[in-house]
Amino acid sequence: KLPIVILISGRGSNLQAIIDQAVSGGLPVEIRAVISNVPGVHGLERARQAGIETQVLDHRGFPDRATYDRALMELIDGYAPGLVVLAGFMRILTPDFVRHYARRLLNIHPSLLPRHRGLNTHARALEEGDAEHGASVHLVTEELDGGPVLIQAQVPIRPDDDPDTLAARVLEQEHRLYPEAIRWFAEGRIDFDGEQVRLDGRPLTEPVRLE
Ligand code: GAR
C-alpha cells in the first residue's frame, strides 16, 4: 500500500472520501497521518474516528512562512509518505516545500483549472457568467494552482445557483475525483518528470474527464 499523509485546514469532506475508499479496500493506501494547520477542525475528528494519527501544527506562533514550512516538512517526513495529499489545506506553500515534495504532492481545487485559480472560485464562476464549473486534481508545482491537471469533473451552472448551491454540486464531484487520482499513484500508473505527466505510459496531454 502507498503510504500517504493528508494535510487539511477544515471540514475534511475530501479527507472522508479518501478514508472511506481506503477502508472499503478499494484504494490501496495507508494513511499514516492527517495534519491540520488549524486546531479543532472537524477533519481531525474524522481522522480520529477512523483510527488515523492526527497532528496539529498551528501556523500562528511561527515567525514566517519559511519557518513554518520547514517545521511542516520535518513533521511530514517523519511518516515517510510516498505521496502528500492537500485536501482543503488553505495555505500557500513555499518554493522550498514544493521542491521538497516534487512529483509527490497533489492538490484538489474547486474549479476547472486553468480557470479560477485562487480563492472564491464559485462566486467568480457565477459573476463571470460561466456556463459550467467543476473541480480539478493537479500536481503541485511552484506556480499557484498551476501544476499539471490530472483529472477534472464538470458540473452545470443553473440560473438559480448561488455560491453555496454551486459549491455543493462541485463538492460531490470532488469526492469522486480525489480517490481516483490517488489510486493512479497507488497503482504506480503516474509518471511525472517535472514537465510531462504520463498515465499508463502515455503522455497526458489534457486532463482525464470523469463523467
Ligand atoms: C474543497 O472544496 C477544496 O477543493 C477546497 O477547499 C474545500 C475543502 O473542503 N480547496 C481549495 O480551495 C484549495 N485552494 P473539505 O475540507 O470538506 O475537503
Side-chain angles (χ1 to χ4, degrees), residues 17-199:
I18 299 162
I19 290 174
D20 289 348
Q21 292 226 16
V23 167
S24 73
L27 184 60
V29 295
E30 177 195 340
I31 307 171
R32 292 209 167 147
V34 169
I35 303 174
S36 174
N37 68 308
V38 183
V41 294
H42 186 53
L44 288 166
E45 187 51 37
R46 294 180 192 266
R48 274 183 221 113
Q49 290 284 337
I52 298 164
E53 189 167 328
T54 60
Q55 296 279 355
V56 173
L57 191 65
D58 193 338
H59 56 278
R60 296 168 300 185
F62 283 84
D64 52 42
R65 203 174 281 284
T67 314
Y68 179 81
D69 277 12
R70 274 198 297 275
L72 184 58
M73 283 187 249
E74 211 166 288
L75 186 59
I76 294 169
D77 287 350
Y79 296 101
L83 182 68
V84 176
V85 174
L86 307 176
F89 187 66
M90 302 305 281
R91 284 182 62 81
I92 292 174
L93 297 160
T94 54
D96 272 354
F97 185 99
V98 173
R99 275 197 290 268
H100 186 72
Y101 297 107
R103 297 163 212 200
R104 53 181 177 126
L105 185 57
L106 267 191
N107 185 41
I108 189 155
H109 183 78
S111 80
L112 292 173
L113 290 171
R115 274 189 84 65
H116 308 306
R117 293 178 184 181
L119 297 175
N120 304 318
T121 57
H122 309 302
R124 282 157 57 206
L126 289 170
E127 275 160 23
E128 292 175 33
D130 294 7
E132 58 186 38
H133 189 43
S136 308
V137 175
H138 67 95
L139 282 152
V140 178
T141 60
E142 287 176 43
E143 189 184 354
L144 183 66
D145 298 329
V149 177
L150 303 180
I151 187 167
Q152 293 183 321
Q154 195 175 306
V155 304
I157 294 187
R158 307 227 161 91
D160 56 348
D161 268 332
D162 61 38
D164 291 338
T165 58
L166 186 53
R169 193 173 308 125
V170 170
L171 194 63
E172 267 180 49
Q173 297 305 315
E174 293 187 40
H175 298 162
R176 301 171 62 218
L177 285 177
Y178 222 175
E180 181 64 16
I182 294 167
R183 181 192 325 280
W184 295 348
F185 278 87
E187 294 176 347
R189 295 168 58 191
I190 289 280
D191 178 72
F192 179 43
D193 61 11
E195 299 236 333
Q196 178 67 65
V197 179
R198 288 170 178 273
L199 175 61

